[in-house]
Amino acid sequence: EYLRIGGAGLIGIRPEICARTLAEIRQCVGLEVLGLVSFVNGGQKCMPDLTCYDNCAYQAKNSMFAAGTAEQFAKDIVNMIREQE
């Protein structure tokens, strides 16, 4: 889900994501303000980034998502936002 009001955007997603993933999305989109709400329309636990998998972090060990999913998700979100511009 995505909502844009002026120079601000709000993303609504099911899983939690790492701060690095959100920072990557913010950098690529270039909006003044971009917020994120997790657990929209249900929950899916944490979607760790590759760093979590490389470090065998708790998030990676307890995730239902494969390594690389967060990075692909970030690309998809950026594309979705750009298409709506």
Side-chain angles (χ1 to χ4, degrees):
E1 307 288 334
Y2 175 67
L3 173 66
R4 169 112 187 236
I5 301 172
L10 181 65
I11 303 168
I13 61 174
R14 283 185 169 185
E16 293 178 277
I17 60 173
C18 294
R20 283 183 292 270
T21 304
L22 181 57
E24 180 182 327
I25 294 168
R26 283 182 172 149
Q27 181 180 11
C28 292
V29 173
L31 291 173
E32 293 174 29
V33 177
L34 181 63
L36 176 99
V37 178
S38 296
F39 301 113
V40 173
N41 295 326
Q44 289 183 318
K45 290 197 171 192
C46 184
M47 183 187 297
D49 63 16
L50 283 174
T51 304
C52 293
Y53 284 95
D54 291 344
N55 295 329
C56 294
Y58 169 78
Q59 297 91 331
K61 293 178 182 180
N62 194 33
S63 179
M64 62 188 278
F65 297 102
T69 301
E71 289 72 18
Q72 183 60 52
F73 174 79
K75 290 177 188 174
D76 293 344
I77 290 290
V78 169
N79 289 335
M80 178 188 71
I81 292 171
R82 288 182 177 162
E83 286 174 5
Q84 293 187 17
E85 298 285 311

